[in-house]
Amino acid sequence: MKIAFKMRLKPGCKEEYRKRHDEIWPELKQLLKDNGVSDYTIFLDEETNILFAVQQQDGEQSSQDLGKLPIVQRWWAYMADIMDTNEDHSPITMPLTKVFHMD
């Protein structure tokens, strides 16, 4: 199943966000893969600072469902200074509804 959601980046943080994801922790990347998350892409709308994420997932679990795991909590804390987050540092996410798909 493919899912999409959006998040918000704080103004002026595009390059830092890109840098941190270019250097994503190997153990976090492996955790996502081990939990069925693949083909994960994040886009930025620079006018609004909205991040648009799309990921393929096997099963019912998305990357945002892994938040109880310590490595995910550490990643969220690491990213909290450049994104809009909840009190637990998880990114504020808004699910998006698919309205069109072309094969």
Side-chain angles (χ1 to χ4, degrees):
M1 168 176 34
K2 189 177 289 187
I3 66 160
F5 55 93
K6 64 181 182 173
M7 303 169 284
R8 185 177 307 276
L9 188 62
K10 291 181 179 175
C13 294
K14 177 180 86 169
E15 292 308 319
E16 183 61 25
Y17 186 87
R18 184 186 313 263
K19 177 184 177 291
R20 292 182 192 186
H21 280 78
D22 285 347
E23 300 169 355
I24 192 169
W25 306 334
E27 61 272 27
L28 179 60
K29 188 175 180 180
Q30 190 61 53
L31 174 73
L32 292 170
K33 288 181 176 187
D34 290 349
N35 282 276
V37 177
S38 63
D39 194 16
Y40 191 177
T41 305
I42 302 172
F43 299 91
L44 173 64
D45 176 349
E46 294 188 50
E47 284 184 40
T48 64
N49 286 318
I50 295 292
L51 296 161
F52 172 76
V54 180
Q55 62 184 231
Q56 184 68 35
Q57 61 186 46
D58 294 332
E60 299 299 314
Q61 200 167 44
S62 79
S63 60
Q64 302 304 302
D65 295 325
L66 301 172
K68 294 193 187 307
L69 300 174
I71 188 168
V72 175
Q73 291 178 2
R74 284 195 316 272
W75 179 260
W76 287 350
Y78 176 56
M79 299 299 290
D81 64 322
I82 62 173
M83 299 180 67
D84 288 353
T85 63
N86 296 299
E87 287 185 23
D88 66 355
H89 297 298
S90 63
I92 296 172
T93 61
M94 293 140 277
L96 298 171
T97 302
K98 180 172 62 174
V99 295
F100 173 76
H101 174 80
M102 186 181 87
D103 283 323

